[in-house]
Amino acid sequence: MNKELKKLSLSEKVIDKVNSGQVKMKPKTYFVLKTSLFFLITFFVSLSIIFFISFIIFSLRTSGIWFLPSFGFKGIGIFLISLPWILILTAIVLIIVLEIFVKKFSFSYRRPILYSVLAIIAFVVIGGFAIASTQMHPGLFLKAQQEKLPVAGGFYRGFGNTEHSQIHKGTISNMIDDGFYLKTFNEEILTIIINPKTKLPFKEKVKVDDQVLILGKRINNQVDALGIHMIKNMPYKPMHRNR
Amino acid sequence: MPNLKSELTDEEIAQIVQKGESESFGLLVERYQAKITRYARKFLSNYHEIEDLVQDVFIKAYTNIQSFDTSRKFSPWLYRIAHNEFINAIKKKAKESLSLFDLDSLFPHLISKEKAEDEINEREIRQMIDKCLNYLDFKYREPLILRYFEELDYKEIADILHIPVSTVGIRLKRGKKKMKFFCKKYHE
């Protein structure tokens, strides 16, 4: 009996608070708006990560850093040092934020975190490569160079075409006995020296008019090539800052 | 004349409350008061404000009832609110430490469901929980209470605690093992 009274009393207490207006039910629209906002933020965070990853790919291709691992350990070392770590860390932080958002959904929290993290990484990397294969970034980069991109212009100019002192890109203008002359995208002529240790393009011989990327230290106008990479389908258009 | 509403399911009553009949919420309070109080007493055995906490759970449930999807089960939704309230109470008092990150949730595990336990075994586990639950960490305490006292299944417990279903199995298994160890150590 006592227990029954106690039971009723809690129920009554709650209903009394409801009837007196101390406790109010939040309207359905509040939850609809909250859920919509949640989805919207999740969507924009996903888009931001895809943007960053595609931009990283674009920036690596534009600078030539993308091709360095094909030059062996030395190339891999320079590749790791030259990666745009600020952009990569930003993308990692955004992935963690997205994981926190996705963990609110039952399809995600019912499975181990590793699964959702791997799914997110696969999604953003595929998305990043897809966007990187379009002309979006080259187009925006060109606009940024022409000072026609107001908001992201500085970002594109700052990160879009980072020059590396040991990477030289251009077109072969003349073949010589121990190498060739390279006309760079900056209209300079460099003498590229090929030695027995130079990593050459697989199965192919370089010839005049080939577009190539050279890894090697430049001394005056001469470069002892550590590696040569053919750029058949130029993933970027050679662009220069209008300065 | 029998009260027709008492024949309704929790979800049907919740739907009626959502449509504006607030008084019907009392029925849900009556149905779950004992369960939520038991959950609180077992989970927060060192706390004195259990009644206030349970009341807060129902008030929060009423406030947020429009967010409840009536096509799903009501009890995990209510237990989730209770879980959050109890965790907040622990954090406020900071009596015991709560680990924010759990490796069990990070990697996949084989779902180690218990073998069909007979009634005697279950009764034994309940008795152990009564005596030795306090020796366990919160992360092991909660699944044991929800499984053996509230009789919820793995998926429901996963929904309440927001952890993977396989982690529920791991925590139950480890929780029982640890509990047996402490019971043997301190009560035999």
Side-chain angles (χ1 to χ4, degrees), chain B residues 176-186:
Chain B
K176 277 190 284 186
K177 201 175 164 188
K178 281 174 187 274
M179 203 167 55
K180 274 180 193 166
F181 169 79
F182 287 121
C183 275
K184 215 172 181 182
K185 195 173 175 185
Y186 299 113

Side-chain angles (χ1 to χ4, degrees), chain A residues 121-137:
Chain A
I121 290 172
F123 170 70
V124 294
V125 167
I126 292 168
F129 271 95
I131 297 295
S133 66
T134 67
Q135 284 301 306
M136 188 185 98
H137 289 303

Side-chain angles (χ1 to χ4, degrees), chain A residues 51-70:
Chain A
F51 171 82
F52 272 107
I53 289 178
S54 60
F55 184 81
I56 289 166
I57 297 166
F58 163 77
S59 133
L60 291 178
R61 281 180 176 168
T62 308
S63 60
I65 295 166
W66 183 261
F67 306 103
L68 293 186
S70 63

Side-chain angles (χ1 to χ4, degrees), chain B residues 3 11 19 23 37 53 58 62 64 84 91 93 99 115 120 133 135-136 141 147 149 152 158 172 179 183:
Chain B
N3 185 355
E11 295 74 27
K19 283 177 183 162
E23 297 283 333
T37 307
L53 273 175
F58 286 109
Y62 177 80
N64 295 294
N84 287 338
K91 279 182 188 164
K93 295 257 176 176
S99 56
K115 289 163 202 161
I120 299 165
L133 193 72
Y135 298 117
L136 297 183
R141 247 186 247 183
R147 179 81 183 123
F149 283 91
L152 299 172
L172 282 171
M179 203 167 55
C183 275

Side-chain angles (χ1 to χ4, degrees), chain A:
Chain A
M1 180 69 188
N2 267 347
K3 271 188 179 174
E4 196 62 32
L5 270 175
K6 214 176 178 185
K7 261 187 191 178
L8 281 173
S9 71
L10 178 65
S11 147
E12 280 172 354
K13 269 185 202 169
V14 174
I15 296 301
D16 278 354
K17 285 195 174 181
V18 170
N19 290 338
S20 66
Q22 285 179 63
V23 174
K24 280 182 182 156
M25 191 188 288
K26 286 178 187 162
K28 187 124 193 151
T29 46
Y30 168 84
F31 295 103
V32 172
L33 284 175
K34 199 176 157 187
T35 309
S36 308
L37 189 69
F38 183 77
F39 274 107
L40 212 65
I41 293 172
T42 308
F43 177 71
F44 277 111
V45 172
S46 310
L47 278 190
S48 307
I49 302 170
I50 290 174
F51 171 82
F52 272 107
I53 289 178
S54 60
F55 184 81
I56 289 166
I57 297 166
F58 163 77
S59 133
L60 291 178
R61 281 180 176 168
T62 308
S63 60
I65 295 166
W66 183 261
F67 306 103
L68 293 186
S70 63
F71 298 144
F73 285 118
K74 174 90 179 164
I76 292 169
I78 298 172
F79 174 80
L80 290 174
I81 292 165
S82 314
L83 284 174
W85 286 108
I86 294 174
L87 296 178
I88 292 170
L89 284 175
T90 310
I92 291 170
V93 169
L94 286 172
I95 286 173
I96 294 168
V97 171
L98 186 61
E99 168 64 20
I100 292 166
F101 275 97
V102 167
K103 268 285 161 220
K104 305 267 178 210
F105 297 102
S106 59
F107 68 81
S108 172
Y109 67 68
R110 278 185 193 157
R111 288 169 186 83
I113 293 170
L114 187 71
Y115 289 171
S116 48
V117 169
L118 289 178
I120 287 173
I121 290 172
F123 170 70
V124 294
V125 167
I126 292 168
F129 271 95
I131 297 295
S133 66
T134 67
Q135 284 301 306
M136 188 185 98
H137 289 303
L140 290 173
F141 185 47
L142 185 64
K143 277 189 177 178
Q145 285 185 311
Q146 294 164 345
E147 308 283 340
K148 286 179 185 169
L149 194 65
V151 182
F155 174 76
Y156 269 87
R157 284 189 295 272
F159 288 103
N161 192 12
T162 46
E163 296 286 332
H164 194 284
S165 61
Q166 290 197 54
I167 298 173
H168 317 278
K169 297 161 281 178
T171 309
I172 296 173
S173 57
N174 271 309
M175 299 302 293
I176 51 175
D177 286 346
D178 53 353
F180 53 82
Y181 291 127
L182 181 79
K183 190 178 180 188
T184 70
F185 297 148
N186 295 330
E187 307 292 327
E188 282 183 294
I189 302 290
L190 298 179
T191 307
I192 308 297
I193 306 297
I194 299 173
N195 59 51
K197 285 184 178 175
T198 305
K199 285 198 180 288
L200 293 165
F202 184 62
K203 282 185 183 172
E204 288 172 80
K205 276 188 178 174
V206 287
K207 57 185 185 302
V208 172
D209 286 340
D210 278 346
Q211 288 189 315
V212 289
L213 179 145
I214 315 293
L215 174 69
K217 267 188 190 163
R218 176 179 170 173
I219 299 165
N220 297 321
N221 279 345
Q222 187 174 309
V223 176
D224 278 327
L226 288 170
I228 299 170
H229 187 93
M230 294 271 272
I231 309 168
K232 272 187 181 170
N233 302 309
M234 188 73 80
Y236 50 86
K237 283 189 186 248
M239 288 179 249
H240 318 287
R241 298 180 192 197
N242 298 330
R243 283 179 189 167

Side-chain angles (χ1 to χ4, degrees), chain B residues 114-130:
Chain B
E114 309 116 301
K115 289 163 202 161
E117 284 160 322
D118 53 36
E119 260 185 54
I120 299 165
N121 193 7
E122 284 214 9
R123 207 182 304 143
E124 268 176 17
I125 293 169
R126 281 198 196 101
Q127 280 168 357
M128 269 202 286
I129 291 174
D130 276 333

